[in-house]
Amino acid sequence: MHFRLFPKSKMSGGWFGRLLHQIGRERVKLTGLSVFYKAGDNGHKLTNMSKSMEPSGNTEDERCLIGVFGDSNINSPDSTESTVVNRCKGRTHYFVYVLAFFSALGGFLFGYDTGVVSGAMLLLKKEMNLSALWQESLVSSTVGAAALSALAGGYLNGLYGRRVCILLASFIFSVGGLVLSVGPNKEVLLLGRLTVGLGIGIASMTVPVYIAEVSPPHLRGQLVTLNTLFITGGQFIASVVDGAFSYLHHDGWRYMLGLSVLPAVLQFVGFLFLPESPRWLLQKGQDQKARQVLSQIRGTTHVDEEYDAIKTTIEEEMASTGGGPVLCRILSSPPARRALIVGCGLQMIQQLSGINTVMYYSATILQMAGVRDDKMAIWLAAGTAGTNFLFTLVGMWLVERVGRRKLTLGSIVGTALSLAVLAIGFLLSAQTSPPVTLHPVGPVLNSSCTQYRFCEPCMLDPDCGFCYGENGTSLFETSCVPVNQANPEEAAMGRCSNASQQQNSGIFWAYNYCPTRYSWIVLFGLILYLAFFAPGMGPMPWTINSEIYPLWARSTGNACSAGVNWTCNVLVSLTFLHVAEYLTYYGAFFLYSGLALLGLVFILCCLPETKGLRLEDIEGLFATQLCTCGDAGPSHRHYIRVNGGNLNSENDEDSDDESP
Ligand SMILES: O[C@H]1[C@H](O)[C@@H](O)[C@H](O)[C@@H](O)[C@H]1O
């Protein structure tokens, strides 16, 4: 809840106001950042204010009220509850939704381009005869390029602004999509995938920042989460497109990869007409333009208070932060450093809790559950992506209701538990792993595969697969044989060496799974995982990162945390199969579950609540040490902004107590 304690005229006039103002300034000098006033839970500091002004419940209007109190003048005649709420509603001008939609197309492209490649690869590898190395390069080049360009995006954002970066990203997406759709050979395709990766990196760090900077406080969480909704939506549409074009054996992949040009061009054209972030404009001294844009976005010319608050913060920041590279300044400023630790930590936890292996592995999990038809598996994988999308929608609904902290905490607890369920499913499957009953001999079979006595170690060896006959629920004539390196869907020789014949003969080839009666536990774990991960751990790291840095550190902070996200993404996806080889699948999922539990401790200790606060006010949440274990619960704190400086009652108990 925000209140301006005194109108500006009083602040500059009375001795008490001058004193407060001075204390605020001193604090700014001391901490390098604004300091906050924290009112008691019962609001006793606010006794001279109308009780009706204190939001007590959880309705839409009250949440809105909290956001707008931040810049309302309680002594002004128009500060009654209804006026403020109306103002709040009036401020949610439709234009901000237009901005959020066009920006979030960047998220859609991020999701589409990372999601579409698996389906495209099924066709590509046959048509271009791709080796395993080429397949891996085409998939991971994009994620690697995204990691690098996310880091570079911080510099570009600071220098050229959010709008130019979004235009650049959509231009790069369009070029990349075109190259991919006409690529005559694998080298050109690699170039296309790298290009698309550059676009993804820039978009992934810029879009959340832009949306956060143009949104009013009461809608910011929802609108930034819209970006992750578009990411998961992009992944879902990509899997549907994969399914639809998988029937087109010749050139189907060109449509899959090339279709991304459409949203990219739409975003590029849209952003030619959309404005720059008013906060960035103010930072660059383009005051007139900033005011004009702010009015345009809010749909009113009454933007003085918001404009003043942003400007004051920027002036304070300029006075209190020194020169030198921004990253060095972040590292030497304790509050900004703490924000960076929280931001990067969240992104790391998101990836280390295994979302992309679960998504990537979903097709195999479904095969384990008895789905053997390839086409069916593709459509069911689309179902997994759809579930991820639907539960992100739940997150968007919850974010302004329960707040970021509770949502993230609930999500990580559920994520850790469902990873444990997945692990238990794999453990039971491993313990009841079917034995190998046939041990064929021959020159090609002179490999390590023939030594395995059970399916489990056979399946974990990347060179081998399990060939078996099935009669109802019982297995017969089971063998462990080498895989056809050019096509893992069949064995190098013997009964399972012809993929098309297998289906009708009752003989099955399991390359990366073992037939098991416990597949339902794994399937249940997968759905549970998505239901818990998608509303919180999926979107919150992006949303929270867009809010926690002061303006001077926002581009660099987001670039670093997005870089951490992409680097951990590459790390987890590249190591998953090796981890599974050494620890087995259940070991790998127990490991991810353990990492998620560590993440829970980190979040519990370090993540403050940012719901409803203005961006300019959030930096104060990091003014004190991290790991205070939610000290007094951030949700109970009320911050009061005093003439651009923010006072914290914890250290200032008697300075401005307004109670009689
Ligand atoms: O927030 C997103 C989302 O959860 C996606 O499904 C996932 O693939 C990304 O890696 C993640 O950053």
Side-chain angles (χ1 to χ4, degrees), residues 110 228 231-232 235 350-351 355-356 388 533 538 542 565 569:
F110 160 172
T228 314
I231 297 177
T232 54
Q235 290 173 328
Q350 181 195 68
Q351 292 301 320
I355 173 65
N356 291 306
N388 193 17
F533 180 92
W542 297 109
N565 180 295
N569 187 336

Side-chain angles (χ1 to χ4, degrees), residues 268-296:
F268 185 83
V269 174
F271 256 87
L272 286 177
F273 302 98
L274 295 176
E276 179 50 87
S277 149
R279 284 177 163 87
W280 183 86
L281 287 170
L282 262 169
Q283 194 189 28
K284 295 291 163 188
Q286 299 182 34
D287 296 15
Q288 269 312 102
K289 188 113 187 268
R291 184 187 287 275
Q292 201 187 327
V293 169
L294 201 58
S295 307
Q296 188 188 7

